[in-house]
């Protein structure tokens, strides 16, 4: 007879601040799944966790930094990337992970995103896209689908959403992928790959927000997962211009960009430092 | 060298190894000098996409263990305010130089003023203590930038160097002493077991030792109200405790922080109070007044914030009155007036900005008021 191995803990205990659990995320929220995928990827990647930091902005996803048992920084709204840029350039030995939401990274923080991508700052950006501002009760975001209802678009969103992978690609990101929280294995593998990769890596994670977004758009948590299963197409290397999010036509997932280009720090050292200061 | 260059050199002498900047008149030359000098000594300069990012980057760099600074002027100073608040709340050392120009808004970009003094005190939201210094020459900019770093590292808070366009662009001789003759201070670092470390448990001096990223302390820093562990706690009690620490570390060390200078003050009946470039006006005015038989003396504020309340209060007991000279329409004047507690009248020689105040205006007021 086989015996089940009993364990008193969770495999991620070491990476979680257990004294901060329970977390604030709502039942049915997708952030937790994306967060644990990120932690598993950190573990399996073999990167030096003592040299790994997580930086977040403000919002539901921005609380990620508060639960990870690493050096972690919960900064101001939209400013996780420039804060993280300062950390990385001040100590290039750090592995810098930015874990934040779509409103934080692409509305208030959009300018910082495109410039960090342009500079190819060696960091991994994990953007949880739940199509709205969850923390403040469900307002329209730059990722909210056209015509979707939110508390500030009661008649439907009159604006078009960003295609985030296209924005990342156009700005110079050297690694770009998109997964949903239903595709946890692909997501973990992608995060692991991004963590090990030099350069600016961007991963968009589609995640349900049943309480604030789903409720107003006739989409329960399980409905979102069903949509992620039935109306997504995995197409690696798809061109970023094909990646508009339209669930009626099908949303493309996969790894789209994976380039090898010199990082911000490498280019700075090469260009600005006197030759006798360089070690190699 | 110019004041702006002296500011950069002061930062370097203090051990600054990271500068995140954004061009703005009349502070650009600080960034230019840093862009040339930092890579030579193993530091890093980056021109960020705006002042919000510049300020965020220096707070991040400091958390990564490197002394960091930025320099800006009015419009950029406004944009930096939120992340100055982050540095206050997370108790992260860093230095911000504001080479002041006339405002409001875009104002007179190439002409100086001293009109951001209240913004320096209260510009970020919420209640807090801050340290702001006001140099009056390139040489003083050099030394005060070093002092700013030392205070910042000692007390774990952002320190502001409030210069202005006039001295920022003024070329004067600056003596840079040997490195061994420059006293520099670095933040206290934690000792003992890493798993028991509490990032905000104050040491005997009231200041918590600071762990930096990558050392294995697994610290958490947040701009939310937090407890000793650095964890967010949304209670009134936690707010009390946190505020108590960030207020007291300044309020209980006023003697160590506040620096002033007196000129012909011992027997003065009228105290002229000023700081920064306007100090130059006052030195001339005091000599001239004395020649006219007016017993004036000059109190120069090197530290403007925290304000030397007790000193003004004590002087108010024995003098006939105060005259504050500043290139704004009454900011530090309000502080002087408050601290006299009605015991002596307080007058203002102000200016809306764009040029220095001639000593004659001070003399005219002295003749008229006393």
């Amino acid at each position: 007879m086989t015996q089940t191995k009993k364990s008193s803990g969770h495999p991620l205990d070491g990476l979680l601040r257990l004294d901060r659990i329970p977390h604030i995320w709502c039942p049915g929220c997708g952030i937790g799944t994306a967060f644990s995928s990120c932690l598993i990827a950190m573990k399996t990647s073999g990167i030096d966790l003592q040299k790994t930091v997580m930086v977040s902005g403000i919002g539901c996803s921005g609380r990620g930094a508060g639960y990870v048992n690493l050096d972690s920084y919960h900064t101001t709204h939209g400013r996780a990337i420039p804060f993280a840029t300062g950390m990385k350039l001040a100590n290039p030995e750090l592995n810098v992970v930015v874990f934040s939401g779509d409103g934080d990274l692409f509305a208030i923080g959009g300018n910082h995103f495109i410039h960090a991508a342009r500079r190819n700052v060696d960091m991994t950006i994990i953007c949880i896209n739940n199509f709205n501002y969850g923390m403040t009760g469900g307002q329209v975001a730059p990722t909210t689908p056209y015509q979707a209802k939110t508390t500030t678009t009661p008649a439907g969103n009159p604006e078009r959403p960003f295609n985030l992978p296209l924005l990342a690609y156009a700005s110079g990101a050297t690694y770009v992928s998109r997964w949903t929280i239903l595709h946890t294995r692909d997501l973990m593998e992608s995060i692991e790959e991004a963590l090990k990769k030099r350069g600016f890596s961007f991963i968009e994670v589609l995640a349900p927000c049943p309480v604030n977004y789903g409720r107003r758009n006739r989409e329960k948590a399980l409905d979102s997962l069903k949509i992620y299963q039935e109306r997504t197409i995995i197409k690696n290397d798809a061109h970023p211009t094909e990646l508009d999010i339209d669930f009626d036509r099908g949303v493309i997932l996969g790894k789209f960009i994976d380039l090898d280009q010199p990082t911000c720090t490498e280019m700075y050292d090469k260009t600005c430092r006197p030759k006798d200061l360089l070690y190699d | 060298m110019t004041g702006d260059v002296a500011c950069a050199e002061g930062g370097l002498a203090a051990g600054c190894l990271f500068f995140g900047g954004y061009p703005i008149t009349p502070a650009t030359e600080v960034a230019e000098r840093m862009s040339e000098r930092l890579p030579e000594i193993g530091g890093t300069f980056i021109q960020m996409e705006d002042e919000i990012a510049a300020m965020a980057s220096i707070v991040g760099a400091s958390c990564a263990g490197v002394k960091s600074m930025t320099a800006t002027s009015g419009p950029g100073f406004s944009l930096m305010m939120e992340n100055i608040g982050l540095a206050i709340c997370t108790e992260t050392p860093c230095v911000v130089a504001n080479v002041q120009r006339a405002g409001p808004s875009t104002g007179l970009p190439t002409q100086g003023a001293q009109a951001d003094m209240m913004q320096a005190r209260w510009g970020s939201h919420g209640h807090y203590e801050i340290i702001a210094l006001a140099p009056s020459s390139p040489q003083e900019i050099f030394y005060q930038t070093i002092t700013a770093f030392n205070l910042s590292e000692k007390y774990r808070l952002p320190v502001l160097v409030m210069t202005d366009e006039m001295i920022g662009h003024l070329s004067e001789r600056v003596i840079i002493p040997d490195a061994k003759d420059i006293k520099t201070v670095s933040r206290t670092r934690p000792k003992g077991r890493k798993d028991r470390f509490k990032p905000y448990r104050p040491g005997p001096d009231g200041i918590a030792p600071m762990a930096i990223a990558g050392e294995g302390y697994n610290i958490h820093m947040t701009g939310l109200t937090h407890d000793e562990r650095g964890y967010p706690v949304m209670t009134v009690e936690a707010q009390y405790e946190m505020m108590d620490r960030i207020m007291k570390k300044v309020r209980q060390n006023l003697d160590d922080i506040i620096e002033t200078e007196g000129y012909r003050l011992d027997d003065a009946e009228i105290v002229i109070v000023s700081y920064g470039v306007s100090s130059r006006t006052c030195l001339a005015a005091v000599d001239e007044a004395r020649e006219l038989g007016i017993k004036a003396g000059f109190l120069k504020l090197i530290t403007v914030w925290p304000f030397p309340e007790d000193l003004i209060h004590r002087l108010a007991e024995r003098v006939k009155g105060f005259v504050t000279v500043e290139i704004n329409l009454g900011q530090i004047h309000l502080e002087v007036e408050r601290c006299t507690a009605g015991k002596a009248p307080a007058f203002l020689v102000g200016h809306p900005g764009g040029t220095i105040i001639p000593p004659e205006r001070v003399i005219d007021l002295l003749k008229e008021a006393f």
Side-chain angles (χ1 to χ4, degrees):
Chain A
M1 204 173 90
T2 49
Q3 267 194 324
T4 315
K5 196 179 166 193
K6 278 189 183 164
S7 164
S8 56
H10 184 274
L12 289 175
D13 276 359
L15 267 173
L16 282 171
R17 295 187 191 273
L18 292 176
D19 47 357
R20 290 223 56 223
I21 304 296
H23 55 67
I24 61 154
W25 297 317
C26 306
C29 169
I31 299 170
T33 309
F35 186 64
S36 56
S37 299
C38 176
L39 299 192
I40 293 168
M42 281 177 168
K43 251 188 158 170
T44 53
S45 68
I47 57 169
D48 182 356
L49 293 175
Q50 185 174 317
K51 295 280 176 205
T52 303
V53 298
M54 186 182 276
V55 184
S56 289
I58 298 294
C60 293
S61 305
R63 290 302 185 95
Y67 301 124
V68 67
N69 194 25
L70 298 172
D71 287 321
S72 52
Y73 300 86
H74 180 229
T75 66
T76 45
H77 195 19
R79 318 306 169 198
I81 289 178
F83 186 99
T85 300
M87 294 196 94
K88 180 68 188 179
L89 299 191
N91 181 1
E93 279 184 16
L94 296 174
N95 305 306
V96 178
V97 179
V98 172
F99 189 93
S100 220
D102 49 306
D104 183 73
L105 289 169
F106 289 99
I108 188 166
N111 195 31
H112 309 309
F113 179 88
I114 60 174
H115 286 279
R118 173 180 63 78
R119 294 181 181 113
N120 200 21
V121 183
D122 181 15
M123 54 170 67
T124 302
I125 313 286
I126 299 167
C127 172
I128 315 304
N129 179 2
N130 61 7
F131 308 106
N132 80 134
Y133 284 86
M135 178 71 87
T136 43
Q139 292 74 38
V140 71
T143 45
T144 305
Y146 177 58
Q147 302 266 299
K149 290 210 163 85
T150 71
T151 65
T152 47
T153 54
N157 180 19
E159 300 176 9
R160 298 179 303 172
F162 265 136
N163 168 347
L164 297 180
L166 176 60
L167 179 66
Y169 169 65
S171 307
T174 52
Y175 181 98
V176 179
S177 74
R178 173 196 279 157
W179 296 101
T180 81
I181 60 139
L182 189 72
H183 300 79
T184 43
R185 189 177 297 271
D186 302 284
L187 175 59
M188 280 186 298
E189 283 171 7
S190 183
I191 296 175
E192 189 183 327
E193 199 171 26
L195 289 172
K196 289 197 259 185
K197 188 174 171 60
R198 285 178 322 123
F200 188 88
S201 303
F202 173 65
I203 298 165
E204 179 185 15
V205 188
L206 306 185
C209 175
V211 171
N212 282 314
Y213 180 77
R215 186 159 51 103
R216 297 189 176 88
N217 292 284
R218 298 197 186 136
E219 191 181 309
K220 294 195 166 123
L222 275 179
D223 299 337
S224 308
L225 296 183
K226 211 171 238 174
I227 292 171
Y228 294 167
Q229 188 174 31
E230 292 170 0
R231 299 196 213 155
T232 55
I233 307 148
I234 297 176
K235 190 179 167 192
N236 291 320
D237 301 318
H239 194 273
T241 50
E242 299 172 44
L243 301 174
D244 281 335
I245 290 184
D246 182 346
F247 282 106
D248 293 334
R249 285 171 44 202
V251 170
I252 297 175
L253 311 176
K255 179 172 84 174
F256 313 119
I257 304 293
D258 190 352
L259 304 171
D260 195 23
Q261 287 177 356
T263 66
C264 181
T265 301
E266 288 163 355
M267 291 185 283
Y268 185 78
D269 287 349
K270 187 180 164 196
T271 313
C272 305
R273 300 225 189 265
K275 299 292 166 276
D276 55 354
L277 258 185
L278 298 176
Y279 303 107
D280 50 352
Chain B
M1 64 176 69
T2 64
D4 279 358
V5 171
C7 182
E9 290 297 331
L12 295 169
C16 175
L17 282 175
F18 184 89
F19 187 101
Y22 188 79
I24 187 166
T25 304
T28 305
E29 294 89 335
V30 186
E32 287 174 343
R33 182 72 166 193
M34 282 299 204
S35 74
E36 195 184 330
R37 295 275 278 124
L38 273 170
E40 291 173 359
I41 57 166
T44 302
F45 168 88
I46 184 166
Q47 181 172 314
M48 294 299 281
E49 51 274 16
D50 57 30
E51 287 93 344
I52 301 172
M55 189 63 214
S57 75
I58 71 164
V59 183
S62 183
C63 288
V66 164
K67 289 186 186 179
S68 62
M69 75 176 289
T70 189
T72 189
S73 190
F77 199 49
S78 293
L79 289 178
M80 288 178 180
M81 281 301 157
E82 190 189 10
N83 286 316
I84 288 176
L86 178 68
I88 290 162
C89 190
T90 57
E91 302 186 52
T92 305
C94 54
V95 171
V96 179
N98 177 356
V99 188
Q100 295 170 88
R101 66 194 218 188
S105 191
T106 312
L108 297 172
T110 60
Q111 290 158 266
Q114 299 179 293
D116 303 345
M117 300 311 295
M118 278 295 173
Q119 188 184 20
R121 178 66 189 88
W122 296 114
S124 194
H125 56 277
H127 202 104
Y128 55 87
E129 284 291 338
I130 193 125
I131 299 175
L133 311 176
S136 68
S137 67
Q139 180 74 66
E140 285 186 12
I141 292 176
F142 174 79
Y143 277 122
Q144 288 188 28
T145 306
I146 298 171
T147 306
F149 269 102
N150 291 349
L151 290 169
S152 168
E153 292 283 322
K154 183 170 181 184
Y155 293 106
R156 285 190 64 180
L157 79 178
V159 175
L160 313 175
V161 182
M162 302 297 289
T163 85
D164 57 72
E165 186 277 331
M166 282 75 102
I167 52 165
H169 284 165
L170 176 69
S171 243
E172 276 184 350
R173 189 212 306 245
V174 174
I175 295 166
I176 296 181
D178 285 346
K180 65 175 170 39
D181 297 323
I182 295 172
K183 184 184 163 246
T184 62
V185 176
S186 293
R187 64 196 76 171
T188 306
R189 303 283 284 276
K191 296 188 194 94
R193 281 183 57 169
K194 291 183 176 176
D195 56 336
R196 289 191 187 160
F197 176 64
K198 300 274 191 296
Y200 293 101
R201 176 174 290 172
D205 56 355
I207 322 294
M210 183 170 173
I212 62 173
E215 286 185 314
Y217 285 92
N218 290 352
I219 54 157
H220 182 58
M221 280 190 164
T222 174
L224 286 165
T225 294
H226 46 265
D227 61 12
E228 279 189 346
R229 297 171 300 173
Y231 291 0
V233 180
M234 301 297 100
T235 63
V236 176
E237 291 74 26
Q239 173 76 358
Y240 258 108
E241 196 185 311
M242 184 186 84
M243 288 295 289
D244 195 53
R245 189 177 60 250
I246 67 174
M247 297 298 288
K248 270 191 188 155
K249 67 182 181 183
V250 174
R251 299 305 304 177
Q252 294 186 339
N253 291 292
L254 295 178
D255 290 344
D256 180 52
I257 297 168
I258 293 176
E259 211 182 323
T260 59
E261 262 174 32
Y263 177 66
R264 301 179 87 163
L265 204 53
D266 292 345
D267 63 338
E269 290 173 352
I270 298 159
V271 179
I272 300 173
V273 182
S274 193
Y275 53 92
V277 69
S278 295
S279 304
R280 293 166 167 258
T281 300
C282 300
L283 288 171
V286 165
D287 288 343
E288 209 173 313
R290 291 273 176 165
E291 274 174 32
L292 295 169
I294 303 169
K295 284 181 116 177
F298 172 43
L299 174 66
K300 175 174 168 179
L301 309 179
I302 293 168
T303 317
V304 176
W305 305 116
F307 194 70
E309 295 168 348
D310 284 349
L311 178 61
I312 300 285
H313 201 73
R314 283 201 310 274
L315 285 168
E317 305 273 356
R318 69 163 175 88
V319 301
K320 281 188 193 162
F322 292 85
V323 178
T324 304
V325 182
E326 54 184 345
I327 308 173
N328 61 57
L329 297 174
Q331 294 189 11
I332 298 306
H333 164 63
L334 297 177
E335 283 296 285
V336 173
E337 198 171 37
R338 175 175 74 83
C339 296
T340 58
K343 290 189 173 131
F347 299 89
L348 167 71
V349 177
H351 191 288
T355 186
I356 52 168
I357 299 173
E360 297 74 46
R361 282 201 48 214
V362 183
I363 300 295
D364 290 347
L365 182 120
L366 290 174
K367 283 185 194 158
E368 197 182 311
F370 298 98

